[in-house]
Amino acid sequence: MAAPAAVLAGVVGAFAYVGTVDPNEPGHYPVCPLLRLTGIYCPGCGGLRSAHAFAHGDIAAALGSNAVAVIGYAALAVFWALWMVRAATGRPLRIDLKPVYLWGIGAVLLIFGVVRNLPFGSALAP
């Protein structure tokens, strides 16, 4: 149970830091290189603002900054809970994602990245 507890401590520490140091104020975090060089939002743009809002309990603002990140937080929480239960019962955690699922996740991120840069997808932009 030490490994899932250590991961939880690291995630809580990261969210505590991002919750304390506001990414909405310039100069605290580096700017996305893709955004800086091209003006295009990548699928991760707005992720720190999303984490900051999530840490403060503002789920609507978190979804507005980066909806995919919030879905990722939920998915990772489910995987962590599964890991914790398996560690408590002495069973190893084995998540064998087939390539089709990995390609599907990549496709969703690619589509999200493209749509948020189009005029009709501006609601998805941070």
Side-chain angles (χ1 to χ4, degrees):
M1 300 235 341
V7 168
L8 178 63
V11 169
V12 168
F15 270 89
Y17 180 79
V18 173
T20 304
V21 181
D22 189 359
N24 294 305
E25 296 187 22
H28 292 289
Y29 299 98
V31 177
C32 171
L34 183 67
L35 180 61
R36 177 170 284 202
L37 294 173
T38 66
I40 296 173
Y41 296 117
C42 76
C45 281
L48 284 174
R49 290 186 292 276
S50 175
H52 179 78
F54 192 83
H56 286 274
D58 190 353
I59 304 302
L63 285 167
S65 293
N66 192 323
V68 169
V70 176
I71 294 167
Y73 306 151
L76 290 174
V78 168
F79 285 126
W80 179 85
L82 178 63
W83 186 18
M84 193 67 158
V85 168
R86 291 209 171 238
T89 59
R91 294 182 296 170
L93 177 65
R94 295 190 49 91
I95 300 173
D96 293 326
L97 290 178
K98 294 181 175 143
V100 68
Y101 295 118
L102 298 174
W103 281 103
I105 292 168
V108 167
L109 291 174
L110 179 65
I111 291 167
F112 177 71
V114 169
V115 169
R116 73 190 318 205
N117 286 288
L118 297 174
F120 66 85
S122 62
L124 296 174

